[in-house]
Amino acid sequence: MIPLDEAKARINAAIQPLAAVQVPIAEARGLVLAQEVLAQEDIPPFDNTAMDGFAVRSADLASATADSPVELVVAATIAAGSVAPRALMAGEAMRIMTGAPIPDGADAIIMVELTEPVGEHAVRCNSAVPVKNHIRPAGDDLKAGATVFVPGEVLGAHHLGVLASVGLESVLVTARPRVGVFSTGDELVVGPEPLQPGQIRDSNRPTLLALVAEAGFQPVDLGSLPDDDSVIAAALRNAVGRCDALITSGGVSMGDFDYVKAVLMRLGELSWMQVAIKPAKPLAFGVLLGTPIFGLPGNPVSSAVSFELFARPAIRQMMARPDTERVHQWAVADDPLLRSPDGKIHFVRVVVTQQSDGWHIRSAGGQGSHQLAALAAANGLAIVADGDGVQAGARVQVMMLQ
Ligand code: AMP
Ligand code: MG
């Protein structure tokens, strides 16, 4: 067995970042910027009002109070998206809506709540307002020419809003990896038909495809394959042309029909590893024509944990994400997490909750590598070092799954 860190290091050493591509901003969420973004213009582009109300000259309202209001003539109405027909004169107000440009001649806004209409064409103002009141100046968010983002920025929803606000329709980013997923196993059945003796349903493929999508990669469903050397070899050869990375499940252990391992050893530059972890000890990792292939074990919990430990961080590295690893945090074990020494780090499926005194964990249920139900109940993997385990009340590090 090799240590977990060494297995990860071997994989990461074989990973190359993908090329930069131009993508529409609607498709850029989660991708990493490969260009500098400058503001082409002031944002907001013009002085505008932050309130519905009236554009006024502050000096006109200097004496205004609720007891002694000042009446102004309403000269125009300015909606967002329109401009005033002319400049504001002394003794006048213009009705103005949030986001509309400030008319020439006005230097303040009085919000509608501090006014009362006097018929159609006049307004009573119940308060004085300082110069610049409720005016958002041009460039208050971003000045023309300012650097908005630098290469390496991970584009989240709010970044896409900023890109749109500076008028960009597409951006240069490190490409989103297309990640092909296929299962292997003669016992696998797809669809609702009754199981024949010896058959089980393919649960790994939907799980892995969803994990791929959640990680920010583009999933490519490559189906379920039999335990057949030539079928698996053909599928791998075909898939490396279409995908940036491949994930398979099953067929990498010590069994007679574990063909994924055999095919990868023949076709690719491959490391087959026994990693000192539980679950997910066996792992086949190879590179075929430049495409990394993660041969994950077949047991459902093993394939999911192996994805988390090896495939997710490595493929995030391909897309230049700085946050390749899941968040880890310390938590108090409310129940003991006991184990026996076996030379491996154990990853225990746990329910993590935040309480008034910090994070706590309890077991999510059955910990067998075939027991997918407890993985569904879990939102973290407690990292239990080799030894006798963790006593109730002790602190343990948890890899968060959400
Ligand atoms: P293997 O790694 O191929 O030896 O498979 C280990 C265990 O995982 C066996 O019990 C398989 O039946 C099971 N298994 C393999 N692939 C899948 C899959 N796609 N969905 C559910 N169980 C699987
Ligand atoms: Mg198998």
Side-chain angles (χ1 to χ4, degrees), residues 183-184 187-188 200-205 249-253 258 297-300:
S183 320
T184 65
E187 71 278 34
L188 301 180
I200 60 164
R201 302 191 195 281
D202 178 1
S203 61
N204 290 352
R205 194 156 43 95
S249 80
V252 296
S253 311
D258 285 337
N299 274 305

Side-chain angles (χ1 to χ4, degrees), residues 115-386:
T115 67
E116 286 161 47
V118 182
E120 291 265 299
H121 301 294
V123 62
R124 193 169 289 144
C125 300
N126 293 327
S127 171
V129 288
V131 169
K132 298 187 180 163
N133 195 44
H134 298 316
I135 294 179
R136 305 188 286 210
D140 200 27
D141 190 6
L142 294 169
K143 293 257 185 290
T147 300
V148 182
F149 299 129
V150 294
E153 189 85 33
V154 180
L155 299 176
H158 301 133
H159 296 85
L160 303 188
V162 173
L163 294 175
S165 79
V166 301
L168 285 184
E169 289 188 322
S170 67
V171 273
L172 192 68
V173 289
T174 304
R176 189 184 300 283
R178 283 162 300 154
V179 180
V181 175
F182 65 77
S183 320
T184 65
D186 284 343
E187 71 278 34
L188 301 180
V189 172
V190 177
E193 58 261 37
L195 296 175
Q196 301 303 315
Q199 292 187 326
I200 60 164
R201 302 191 195 281
D202 178 1
S203 61
N204 290 352
R205 194 156 43 95
T207 304
L208 291 168
L209 286 165
L211 288 171
V212 161
E214 272 180 17
F217 317 144
Q218 179 69 48
V220 181
D221 187 352
L222 300 175
S224 199
L225 302 185
D227 288 315
D228 179 309
D229 186 295
S230 56
V231 172
I232 292 171
L236 286 175
R237 278 210 197 86
N238 182 272
V240 291
R242 298 171 51 199
C243 299
D244 302 307
L246 287 181
I247 294 174
T248 70
S249 80
V252 296
S253 311
M254 305 290 281
D256 288 351
F257 305 101
D258 285 337
Y259 291 117
V260 175
K261 177 175 131 193
V263 170
L264 275 174
M265 287 204 148
R266 199 170 67 237
L267 293 184
E269 308 137 42
L270 177 91
S271 315
W272 180 75
M273 300 179 250
Q274 304 247 50
V275 189
I277 55 173
K278 185 180 176 183
K281 182 172 73 163
L283 173 69
F285 172 75
V287 179
L288 179 55
L289 300 175
T291 302
I293 303 174
F294 298 84
L296 310 185
N299 274 305
V301 176
S302 305
S303 65
V305 170
S306 194
F307 174 86
E308 290 294 340
L309 295 178
F310 304 111
R312 187 180 185 279
I315 302 172
R316 282 204 164 209
Q317 195 177 312
M318 293 175 80
M319 64 194 289
R321 288 278 295 239
D323 50 344
T324 54
E325 296 294 328
R326 291 281 201 182
V327 170
H328 286 58
Q329 62 202 7
W330 290 94
V332 173
D334 286 345
D335 304 319
L337 302 176
L338 301 182
R339 51 161 293 175
S340 307
D342 59 4
K344 300 179 197 165
I345 299 171
H346 289 197
F347 289 86
V348 181
R349 278 72 80 198
V350 291
V351 178
V352 192
T353 51
Q354 192 174 23
Q355 296 174 17
S356 55
D357 63 344
W359 295 90
H360 286 248
I361 55 168
R362 57 186 169 74
S363 169
Q367 297 291 330
S369 60
H370 59 296
Q371 291 175 303
L372 199 49
L375 186 56
N379 59 348
L381 296 172
I383 305 172
V384 181
D386 194 21

